[in-house]
Amino acid sequence: MPHRLLIATRNRHKTGELAALLGPAFQVEDLTAHPDLPEVEETGATFAENAALKAVAASRHFGSELLVLADDSGLEVDALDGAPGVRSARYSGEGATDRKNLELLLTRMQGIPHRAARFRCVIALARGGELAASFEGACEGRIIEEPRGCDGFGYDPVFVPEGYTRTFAELPGEVKNALSHRGRAMTLALAWLRER
């Protein structure tokens, strides 16, 4: 019997990616199945703080019956002093979209030769309003000048992971999941879950 797990997101891309990483041992649902739950404002200064805020807030609505997983992740660009960072999803301001965020990033990177960057992810697990554990993963790479590829989401079309020539949006899903910041954090989370 699969373990029931709530992913504290309404982002279907993120749910799909996390469900694939979790595998068949988990029956995954997300916040789209619970439209009555309020949005959690991401007021944390770090990915860890935001992941914990989301996991703990959602878990309060389910008591100890359901384990809740939340992640916060984003892109950190060295030449931009770590931006977009925790503001990755809202980088272009009010009404931000993946496209607007990507365009702003590429505009700010014009003429900058040093293009090192990383995706960072923190996964938090909570039950009954209490943080149970959190795990961090990162994937080093670089930002290219033009988007490439049609898979993935967010900044995937301009991020080339270290040791590769294709962007996250060009790589097959199973390769991306094995390399990605989210995949690395989930590997640690899965090891913790299996011990319980």
Side-chain angles (χ1 to χ4, degrees), residues 7 14-23 69 71 123 182 186:
I7 299 176
K14 189 179 284 192
T15 298
E17 205 170 279
L18 287 167
L21 291 166
L22 283 161
L69 180 151
D71 93 325
I123 290 177
R182 194 168 284 118
M186 185 58 78

Side-chain angles (χ1 to χ4, degrees), residues 18-178:
L18 287 167
L21 291 166
L22 283 161
F26 293 89
Q27 177 189 335
V28 171
E29 59 189 74
D30 65 17
L31 293 179
T32 60
H34 305 278
D36 52 312
L37 293 184
E39 291 282 335
V40 175
E41 197 173 335
E42 295 180 22
T43 57
T46 65
F47 295 120
E49 289 174 5
N50 284 334
L53 281 170
K54 293 185 280 189
V56 168
S59 74
R60 284 189 182 111
H61 297 276
F62 297 97
S64 60
E65 71 187 61
L66 186 62
L67 187 63
V68 176
L69 180 151
D71 93 325
D72 197 41
S73 57
L75 180 68
E76 300 171 335
V77 180
D78 291 352
L80 301 178
D81 296 322
V86 294
R87 298 207 32 87
S88 290
R90 304 170 302 282
Y91 190 46
S92 59
E94 183 105 15
T97 64
D98 285 353
R99 182 177 176 170
K100 288 179 184 175
N101 290 338
L102 199 57
E103 288 171 355
L104 179 59
L105 174 70
L106 292 177
T107 297
R108 290 187 174 163
M109 290 295 293
Q110 282 181 342
I112 297 176
H114 179 65
R115 303 182 79 81
R118 76 211 39 80
F119 273 117
R120 187 174 310 280
C121 173
V122 175
I123 290 177
L125 293 160
R127 187 186 303 268
E130 296 289 326
L131 182 65
S134 63
F135 306 93
E136 183 175 320
C139 179
E140 298 289 331
R142 64 185 170 83
I143 304 299
I144 59 172
E145 294 180 6
E146 296 286 329
R148 293 193 326 236
C150 53
D151 291 327
F153 61 101
Y155 299 97
D156 288 356
V158 296
F159 182 81
V160 175
E162 220 168 61
Y164 288 78
T165 57
R166 292 189 286 172
T167 67
F168 266 176
E170 295 174 303
L171 290 169
E174 62 275 3
V175 174
K176 178 192 172 191
N177 287 345

